[in-house]
Amino acid sequence: MQAFARLYHALDASTSSHAKQAALLAYLRAAPAADAAWAIYFLAGGKPRQLVPTRLLRQWAQEAAGLPEWLFNESYEAVGDLAETISLLLPAPGQAEACGLADWMEQEMLPLRGLPPHLQKERLLAQWQRLAPEDRLPCLKLMTGALRVGVSKLQVTQALAALAGVDAKLVAQRLMGYTAVGARPGAPDYLALIAPADADADGLQGPHRGQPYPFFLAHPLAAPLAQFDALLGPPAHWLVEWKWDGIRAQLVRRGQQAWLWSRGEELVTERFPELHAMALTLPKGTVIDGEIVVVAPHTPPAGDACRDDVRNEAPHHSADHAAEAALARHIQAFAQLQKRLGRKTVGPKILRELPAALLAYDLLELGGQDLRAQPQRQRRAQLQALLAAHPHPALLLSPEVQSASWAELARQRERARALGTEGFMLKHRQAAYGTGRTKSSGIWWKWKVDPMSVDAVLIYAQRGHGRRASLYTDYTFAVWSGPPQEPGRTLVPFAKAYSGLTDAEIAQVDAIVRKTTRESFGPVRSVEPSLVFEIGFEGIAPSPRHKSGLAVRFPRMLRWRQDKPIAEADTLASLHALMPAKHNTAP
């Protein structure tokens, strides 16, 4: 644990990428493989399932520090990070003990999960007494899942590649699935990451391993339409598809098994049993990249002809608006998918009412052969042939959109909201399937529609974290319940946002929050309504869990409307007007 703690402090103390890389390499060269396995897991973004409830962790740390609750809470607000607060307030330890990271995880931390609270407390207090002060913070960071030291997964990949003397893309492939929830990395897993390149000569994945490929990511396209021809060339050079609102996933079929991985490298097979059953009908050695969506129960996308267009459409049918509209009616809003994502178990009722499908848009492996180096057009043709040969109601082909000009595509893109999509994906027909957000193997662009937006009033504020722990940066926004002439209208909260303002604007808002605070609710401050902001978001849907009856996706502040009085902020009716017609519950 001591060696990892030194690495943590070295990484946290530097802003130099070169220095961070040097510290990481020095640690990996000296660490036992079992310790390095866990270090890579955490630095690449892995987080074990919650070991101790946060409420109890705070309570026991407060008791160990001998502080009243109000003083502990004030300290937490000032510091802004629970792990750092606890590490600063704990009393001096007894005799510190040396222990490797792997032994600490396997013998001390992981066994905490599932113990009765009194035993958890007993073991935690004993652990804190055996950890040196400089080791406590990294340990608590691991426990709370808040390990942030300015090291990206790409930097971890590059360090492993440099250590092993192999291509970074190969290491990125080996790392896929390494940080999955529930993983318990060991020495063999780490040694496989740094094995020589020829160790994969018999197949990068191995015939029975379920790891996905690194996802190819798109770049946002924000250029003016007038520049598209010069920037992109003619539309005929591009595969244009709708950007559907689901979750990105890879379906992996190898050996006698099948797996479903999210883009966040989470294994979600058990959450979508109907997709697992569908995957088992595909040929062995198949990997499909696509989007998981919820579809209308017991209802095909359209009639037989339209269904054929959706699943196996030829290019000359791809711009058929009727087929697109039928598919859009079939695919449900993201809010329906969220009902499944939040469940650990999926019962018959959910499977019946919220069936899932995979909207396929790329074929990465067929017959055990890696197709990623092939041009996009070839992979698309093979994907169409595969779906035609193995039709299944839970496997749909992402429709292609064709047009002779970018101007016409821009007009078609205006239909995105009505179809329930976010805009277009543009994929060059000659592009290989790359690794991450790269342009070296080809390029994908996401040409999204402008975000939905309303003008809303700031009504609550809370301090941020890290370097913003002393500033009020996290805000709750509200819209009016009705128009100005409505008697007794009130402000109804509908979204929280913390991004979009400059440091100078945050400082101004922070000063106003402090001057206009009405009440305090723990860390939250209720403020006198005086500030209006334009709030942007990607989607909106009904939600009985929210006071407004609505939920928005990815809310952020687009601008501070200093020109607008709060009386002119938008209303709930404005939000309802932005919802697709099939979800609009406005009276």
Side-chain angles (χ1 to χ4, degrees):
M1 189 65 202
Q2 289 76 10
F4 181 76
R6 288 193 295 271
L7 172 64
Y8 171 85
H9 290 297
L11 295 173
D12 192 45
S14 176
T15 58
S16 165
S17 296
H18 179 75
K20 289 176 184 287
Q21 195 79 340
L24 184 52
L25 277 170
Y27 172 83
L28 293 175
R29 289 190 177 110
D35 288 358
W38 276 106
I40 293 299
Y41 171 83
F42 286 115
L43 293 172
K47 295 179 182 180
R49 292 187 179 92
Q50 187 180 56
L51 302 175
V52 178
T54 301
R55 174 182 58 83
L56 295 179
L57 187 62
R58 290 181 60 168
Q59 177 186 328
W60 298 335
Q62 173 201 325
E63 293 174 4
L67 297 178
E69 183 178 3
W70 69 267
L71 184 53
F72 184 91
N73 291 340
E74 286 291 329
S75 301
Y76 181 24
E77 285 191 39
V79 174
D81 180 88
L82 181 60
E84 188 171 357
T85 302
I86 295 174
S87 69
L88 291 171
L89 295 178
L90 286 176
Q95 183 64 41
E97 297 179 7
C99 183
L101 178 59
D103 287 342
W104 188 263
M105 289 300 305
E106 299 289 345
Q107 299 172 21
E108 298 291 342
M109 288 185 64
L110 293 181
L112 290 171
R113 186 187 300 116
L115 287 178
H118 72 282
L119 291 180
Q120 287 183 329
K121 179 181 179 180
E122 180 182 308
R123 296 194 65 162
L124 266 179
L125 294 177
Q127 289 176 16
W128 292 339
Q129 280 297 305
R130 302 203 317 272
L131 282 172
E134 61 271 18
D135 299 341
R136 285 173 170 173
L137 177 58
C139 178
L140 287 161
K141 287 281 191 179
L142 300 183
M143 179 171 290
T144 59
L147 185 73
R148 291 184 291 271
V149 288
V151 173
S152 68
K153 189 173 183 179
L154 176 60
Q155 288 175 298
V156 172
T157 301
Q158 291 170 339
L160 289 168
L163 183 70
V166 300
D167 190 284
K169 292 181 180 178
L170 178 59
V171 175
Q173 171 64 41
R174 292 170 173 175
L175 267 173
M176 290 300 294
Y178 191 88
T179 59
V181 175
R184 295 183 69 157
D189 302 298
Y190 172 71
L191 294 174
L193 293 178
I194 59 172
D198 58 10
D200 296 310
D202 61 342
L204 190 60
Q205 302 294 327
H208 303 294
R209 297 179 63 191
Q211 281 86 348
Y213 291 100
F215 284 84
F216 193 19
L217 306 179
H219 296 263
L221 182 59
L225 182 62
Q227 297 178 11
F228 274 32
D229 284 309
L231 178 66
L232 305 175
H237 290 173
W238 296 84
L239 170 65
V240 182
E241 300 171 278
W242 291 106
K243 189 178 187 305
W244 299 94
D245 192 14
I247 62 168
R248 182 89 176 270
Q250 279 185 38
L251 180 156
V252 179
R253 170 77 164 105
R254 295 196 184 102
Q256 303 301 318
Q257 302 179 60
W259 300 264
L260 198 66
W261 293 87
S262 73
R263 178 186 151 184
E265 298 182 34
E266 183 182 0
L267 196 58
V268 296
T269 316
E270 293 181 356
R271 298 186 191 179
F272 299 98
E274 67 270 64
L275 299 187
H276 178 252
M278 173 271 291
L280 293 175
T281 69
L282 297 173
K284 298 173 184 176
T286 298
V287 178
I288 295 174
D289 188 2
E291 200 87 7
I292 297 176
V293 295
V294 162
V295 294
H298 312 304
T299 306
D304 291 340
C306 193
R307 182 165 61 249
D308 290 341
D309 278 348
V310 169
R311 291 185 186 158
N312 312 306
E313 60 186 317
H316 62 276
H317 288 147
S318 60
D320 186 338
H321 288 190
E324 290 171 356
L327 184 59
R329 288 193 298 271
H330 188 53
I331 296 175
Q332 303 301 289
F334 185 81
Q336 299 295 89
L337 180 59
Q338 281 183 309
K339 295 177 182 179
R340 292 198 55 166
L341 296 176
R343 294 175 177 269
K344 293 183 179 179
T345 58
V346 182
K349 184 174 185 291
I350 290 294
L351 290 173
R352 184 172 60 253
E353 296 179 354
L354 300 171
L358 182 70
L359 202 56
Y361 49 69
D362 216 324
L363 184 62
L364 311 185
E365 183 179 319
L366 185 63
Q369 179 186 0
D370 184 350
L371 307 180
R372 293 177 298 161
Q374 293 186 7
Q376 181 81 53
R377 58 180 175 78
Q378 291 186 17
R379 301 198 308 275
R380 173 75 179 194
Q382 292 179 83
L383 176 64
Q384 288 180 251
L386 175 70
L387 268 61
H390 300 275
H392 195 284
L395 184 60
L396 308 173
L397 181 66
S398 176
E400 181 180 352
V401 181
Q402 289 188 334
S403 179
S405 71
W406 291 113
E408 173 57 29
L409 280 170
R411 285 190 287 272
Q412 293 194 52
R413 177 170 159 268
E414 293 174 1
R415 302 171 52 239
R417 296 292 187 205
L419 292 174
T421 73
E422 299 177 347
F424 283 142
M425 291 291 298
L426 311 180
K427 305 172 183 179
H428 200 282
R429 293 185 184 276
Q430 296 301 319
Y433 188 95
T435 298
R437 191 167 279 106
T438 179
K439 295 182 181 179
S440 60
S441 305
I443 192 165
W444 286 5
W445 294 103
K446 47 185 177 184
W447 186 19
K448 298 174 69 172
V449 293
D450 293 335
M452 304 176 186
S453 68
V454 294
D455 291 330
V457 181
L458 190 156
I459 60 171
Y460 299 115
Q462 188 171 348
R463 288 176 178 170
H465 294 82
R467 69 181 183 89
R468 292 182 170 180
S470 62
L471 298 169
Y472 288 97
T473 62
D474 298 9
Y475 313 126
T476 299
F477 295 94
V479 292
W480 291 105
S481 58
Q485 63 272 20
E486 181 180 279
R489 71 170 185 161
T490 59
L491 286 168
V492 182
F494 81 100
K496 295 182 178 180
Y498 56 87
S499 64
L501 297 185
T502 65
D503 287 346
E505 288 174 326
I506 288 173
Q508 287 180 272
V509 174
D510 176 78
I512 294 171
V513 167
R514 293 175 189 275
K515 290 178 182 177
T516 61
T517 294
R518 285 176 166 178
E519 296 179 270
S520 298
F521 307 95
V524 179
R525 301 293 182 264
S526 169
V527 301
E528 182 73 29
S530 63
L531 304 178
V532 177
F533 292 82
E534 183 180 3
I535 306 301
F537 44 92
E538 299 301 322
I540 182 169
S543 173
R545 296 186 295 111
H546 293 79
K547 189 173 182 179
S548 64
L550 303 168
V552 297
R553 290 190 68 200
F554 306 131
R556 68 270 193 193
M557 291 166 279
L558 301 179
R559 57 175 172 149
W560 184 358
R561 294 298 307 270
Q562 300 187 54
D563 60 320
K564 197 164 194 175
I566 65 167
E568 295 179 12
D570 283 309
T571 66
L572 279 175
S574 306
L575 287 170
H576 280 284
L578 294 173
M579 283 199 298
K582 63 181 178 181
H583 301 303
N584 201 327
T585 57

